[in-house]
Amino acid sequence: GDSVTQMEGPVTLSEEAFLTINCTYTATGYPSLFWYVQYPGEGLQLLLKATKADDKGSNKGFEATYRKETTSFHLEKGSVQVSDSAVYFCALPRLNTGGFKTIFGAGTRLFVKA
Amino acid sequence: DTAVSQTPKYLVTQMGNDKSIKCEQNLGHDTMYWYKQDSKKFLKIMFSYNNKELIINETVPNRFSPKSPDKAHLNLHINSLELGDSAVYFCASSQEGVLSGANVLTFGAGSRLTVL
């Protein structure tokens, strides 16, 4: 069945370090891929998305490229800030007979130290 | 104005009680969802409603009963609460984009349920 696998956390980095959070997926066809972010005490919010192979999604300095050949959508940021501390979820929306069902990865918690 | 609002934010109750969580969205979206997030942050869909009709029910115990009086509201009632029901419950909404293949969810802030 469809699934999303992302690297386990927590990831702890110093400010201005480079961030990579790996995400791979299993799905038929050509799904869209999303990254959501959850700040402490809040709901998830969309960070970025890509709707077809080789698309690069970007927002707030974060980037992810949809690689169909490796079924991956890794999240990167060149220089993290303390305010980036949050839980990051890779997500795969799938269209069922009844409607869309988004499958989330397990989440990766990021801590950024000043 | 909050786009997706849920109440209450915190709920502490005893095993065996019945409780409800309410959700409202002012985005004009057609589809609303309930997700459950466990203590390890794992997020799983429970229900989905499109224009007041149930379209996804993910093998949730029938102690959980969603109700959608109109497309802007989706409530969750839980009977005979158990310890394992302790979690954060998130309401979300979306405007289906079937042709684009994309489906962006807008989440509420969550309702933390603690069953003692």
Side-chain angles (χ1 to χ4, degrees):
Chain A
D2 299 334
S3 66
V4 175
T5 303
Q6 59 181 106
M7 62 188 280
E8 281 191 36
V11 174
T12 303
L13 296 173
S14 297
E15 228 173 1
E16 299 183 6
F18 184 86
L19 169 71
T20 300
I21 300 177
N22 290 339
C23 170
T24 56
Y25 69 91
T26 302
T28 55
Y30 301 91
S32 297
L33 294 166
F34 295 171
W35 277 100
Y36 285 85
V37 58
Q38 184 179 24
Y39 297 104
E42 298 183 13
L44 282 73
Q45 54 186 275
L46 181 70
L47 179 60
L48 54 83
K49 65 177 182 177
T51 56
K52 59 184 189 297
D54 299 326
D55 260 6
K56 178 185 279 189
S58 61
N59 186 23
K60 300 181 182 180
F62 291 88
E63 292 183 340
T65 301
Y66 184 159
R67 303 261 186 230
K68 181 127 181 88
E69 63 276 13
T70 53
T71 62
S72 65
F73 193 53
H74 303 323
L75 182 69
E76 296 181 335
K77 187 174 186 184
S79 175
V80 294
Q81 305 300 313
V82 172
S83 58
D84 294 326
S85 298
V87 182
Y88 293 82
F89 293 88
C90 188
L92 172 69
R94 299 303 281 161
L95 184 59
N96 293 344
T97 50
F100 274 102
K101 183 173 82 170
T102 298
I103 298 167
F104 287 89
T108 303
R109 187 184 291 274
L110 170 66
F111 292 105
V112 181
K113 303 179 297 186
Chain B
D1 258 355
T2 305
V4 179
S5 57
Q6 12 178 154
T7 54
K9 193 168 173 64
Y10 300 97
L11 194 50
V12 180
T13 189
Q14 300 287 331
M15 263 196 319
N17 284 349
D18 304 338
K19 290 294 176 187
S20 293
I21 306 170
K22 296 186 175 182
C23 179
E24 176 181 2
Q25 55 99 1
N26 63 8
L27 298 167
H29 288 168
D30 289 332
T31 307
M32 296 184 72
Y33 309 80
W34 280 111
Y35 277 83
K36 179 181 180 181
Q37 187 176 48
D38 64 22
S39 58
K40 295 186 178 177
K41 298 294 187 182
F42 186 72
L43 203 62
K44 189 165 171 22
I45 190 170
M46 301 173 69
F47 302 103
S48 169
Y49 271 73
N50 183 272
N51 271 319
K52 303 191 298 177
E53 284 193 34
L54 179 67
I55 56 173
I56 292 175
N57 181 341
E58 282 292 293
T59 325
V60 178
N62 57 16
R63 297 183 296 104
F64 291 79
S65 50
K67 280 194 173 48
S68 181
D70 55 60
K71 77 171 195 177
H73 295 84
L74 179 62
N75 304 322
L76 183 65
H77 188 76
I78 315 170
N79 289 327
S80 304
L81 279 156
E82 300 177 357
L83 292 177
D85 298 331
S86 295
V88 181
Y89 292 84
F90 285 100
C91 180
S93 71
S94 71
Q95 189 60 43
E96 302 288 1
V98 175
L99 292 179
S100 70
N103 170 248
V104 178
L105 297 169
T106 302
F107 282 84
S111 297
R112 181 178 294 276
L113 172 64
T114 304
V115 182
L116 304 174

